[in-house]
Amino acid sequence: MILVTGGAGFIGANFVLDWIGAVGEPVVNLDKLTYAGNLANLASLEGDARHAFVRGDISDRPLLAGLLAQHRPRAIVHFAAESHVDRSIHGPADFIETNVVGTFRLLEAARAHWSALGEPDKSAFRFLHVSTDEVYGSLGPDDPAFSETTAYAPNSPYSASKAGSDHLVRAYHHTYGLPTLVTNCSNNYGPFQFPEKLIPLMIVNALAGEPLPVYGDGQNVRDWLYVGDHCAAIRRVLERGRPGEVYNVGGAAEMKNIDLVRNLCATLDGLRPRASGTYAERITFVKDRPGHDRRYAIDAGKIRRELGWAPAETFETGLRRTVRWYLDHADWIAGVQSGEYRKWIERNYGAR
Ligand code: NAD
Ligand code: TYD
């Protein structure tokens, strides 16, 4: 079996569902259920003996030791993190606690567990750390895309905390020989994404008739990776990746934010037309994010060449699937729009 951390969040839940469906191997899912964790994401696994959910913190040493001793996983897939740049600007402390200290505690527990294994389990063990392209900093318009050898230059408290965790993972391989794998991927989108990130926020606001807040001039560029493609990449890296290696994962879909939002509005106009006019009428340019990275781009050549992975979705197909999912899951949307969510929206957008 495998241990997944953060498996009630957006990518983690998609991964657990994908893993149980595609591989069928049992999963222990450790998640603290912060504002971003949601058991409704895993409702389809209710009663499935292959999924065991444990509510807890990756920083809890006795809990980790107990889980590893009890379940003896052959791999740990580490998603748990504070993941939103804007929240890291308003309150960085949680990002250091979970992303840096939490990853350190998880590495320590994994090292103790792995050291005590006999062969062949010891050589077969894997610690897969899910990270972000944001650790590489910001690109100019003509710079080459990020590769696995691009120097780290994180610019936000979020990306700095993920960079710290990546360095710890690297050191645990280099120093102790822990068989680690690191993936650095671009912006994910798809079902179950909490509506604080760009795409679900825009969908949810558009459907509610609210303004669509584009930061700054809207010319910032991101690469967009459909979450199902990301899950397939992680499966591939876990299966065939070489210990100690880093793999960049991208969607081959670089886009300016404003073009993405216009495209999203056109998709919504097609699938859920307004009585009159277009959703794009609600696009509003608002005060920029401090330190806003201008451009991210991923060179995914290594994972393609070495592991034979490439994204299956284009941005067009992935976006349609995503918009349809949100249109079909009004209950899920209503369920995550708690008082805490409303407070966040007021805090982040109220003064913009
Ligand atoms: P998310 O915020 O949706 O989910 C994070 C999950 O981790 C939640 O379920 C939360 O409850 C859990 N968690 C947080 N702190 C915890 C702790 N201390 N102990 C146990 N569980 C804890 O995040 P996501 O978008 O699914 O991202 C998953 C991972 O992928 C993160 O490591 C993130 O840095 C990375 N990543 C995300 C993106 C993206 O576009 N979303 C892109 C690149 C990398
Ligand atoms: P986000 O989804 O927060 O991901 P990240 O900052 O990790 O790339 O934001 C994606 C892009 O969209 C980023 O350039 C910031 C921008 N953005 C807006 O313009 N408006 C918004 O309301 C949000 C949340 C993001």
Side-chain angles (χ1 to χ4, degrees):
M1 57 89 61
I2 63 167
L3 173 68
V4 168
T5 72
F10 161 50
I11 306 174
N14 275 283
F15 178 80
V16 170
L17 295 169
D18 172 88
W19 179 267
I20 300 266
V23 182
E25 187 181 1
V27 173
V28 171
N29 183 352
L30 172 64
D31 195 297
K32 186 178 175 180
L33 296 182
T34 68
Y35 78 91
N38 183 356
L39 285 178
N41 300 353
L42 300 160
S44 65
L45 292 176
E46 229 172 272
D48 191 323
R50 295 170 298 181
H51 177 241
F53 182 79
V54 178
R55 184 174 191 175
D57 195 315
I58 55 164
S59 298
D60 183 337
R61 278 182 273 215
L63 175 67
L64 289 176
L67 283 177
L68 293 172
Q70 183 189 348
H71 297 286
R72 304 181 61 75
R74 69 171 180 95
I76 298 175
V77 185
H78 178 34
F79 295 96
E82 289 294 333
S83 69
H84 189 32
V85 174
D86 292 319
R87 287 189 192 249
S88 83
I89 294 168
H90 286 279
D94 288 349
F95 288 72
I96 306 306
E97 283 305 326
T98 286
N99 300 2
V100 182
V101 179
T103 300
F104 162 68
R105 294 260 164 79
L106 187 64
L107 281 164
E108 277 292 273
R111 180 164 77 91
H113 166 70
W114 168 77
S115 303
L117 292 175
E119 291 296 351
D121 294 349
K122 193 168 183 186
S123 311
F125 185 81
R126 296 289 182 269
F127 183 102
L128 193 156
H129 175 62
V130 178
S131 192
T132 168
D133 60 358
E134 305 196 18
V135 296
Y136 300 120
S138 184
L139 294 169
D142 300 320
D143 288 340
F146 300 133
S147 79
E148 291 79 1
T149 54
T150 301
Y152 273 37
N155 290 319
S156 71
Y158 164 65
S159 55
S161 68
K162 291 297 290 188
S165 65
D166 293 10
H167 289 324
L168 285 169
V169 174
R170 179 190 156 88
Y172 272 63
H173 175 73
H174 193 79
T175 303
Y176 304 113
L178 186 71
T180 60
L181 298 158
V182 177
T183 54
N184 293 89
C185 71
S186 54
N187 288 57
N188 283 222
Y189 67 102
F192 302 115
Q193 189 168 28
F194 192 78
E196 62 183 357
K197 305 278 168 64
L198 180 68
I199 290 181
L201 180 105
M202 292 293 171
I203 297 173
V204 165
N205 280 16
L207 295 177
E210 300 283 342
L212 307 180
V214 174
Y215 294 166
D217 61 6
Q219 300 295 306
N220 303 68
V221 173
R222 297 291 184 266
D223 173 65
W224 293 92
L225 172 65
Y226 186 70
V227 67
D229 281 328
H230 185 201
C231 293
I234 292 173
R235 270 197 278 119
R236 187 64 61 90
V237 171
L238 197 55
E239 192 188 333
R240 295 201 217 150
R242 282 180 290 135
E245 291 292 316
V246 175
Y247 298 91
N248 281 0
V249 186
E254 251 192 83
M255 218 170 304
K256 290 178 179 158
N257 290 340
I258 186 64
D259 294 338
L260 184 158
V261 175
R262 291 208 172 104
N263 187 343
L264 178 57
C265 289
T267 305
L268 274 168
D269 285 336
L271 293 173
R272 177 71 58 88
R274 291 176 61 188
S276 67
T278 157
Y279 290 100
E281 287 162 16
R282 303 309 308 264
I283 293 174
T284 315
F285 290 93
V286 300
K287 190 160 171 267
D288 209 353
R289 170 190 281 172
H292 194 177
D293 284 339
R294 197 63 172 167
R295 175 175 167 241
Y296 303 142
I298 284 264
D299 174 352
K302 179 175 173 182
I303 188 171
R304 188 184 62 242
R305 279 191 310 275
E306 295 190 9
L307 307 183
W309 174 89
E313 301 286 345
T314 64
F315 186 70
E316 295 305 320
T317 61
L319 185 67
R320 278 186 85 77
R321 286 171 81 121
T322 303
V323 170
R324 274 187 208 284
W325 187 88
Y326 281 89
L327 291 175
D328 290 344
H329 291 83
D331 288 357
W332 184 92
I333 296 175
V336 299
Q337 290 179 319
S338 61
E340 197 282 339
Y341 178 74
R342 282 172 228 286
K343 267 193 227 149
W344 165 252
I345 295 297
E346 178 51 34
R347 190 170 181 204
N348 194 44
Y349 298 95
R352 274 200 145 99

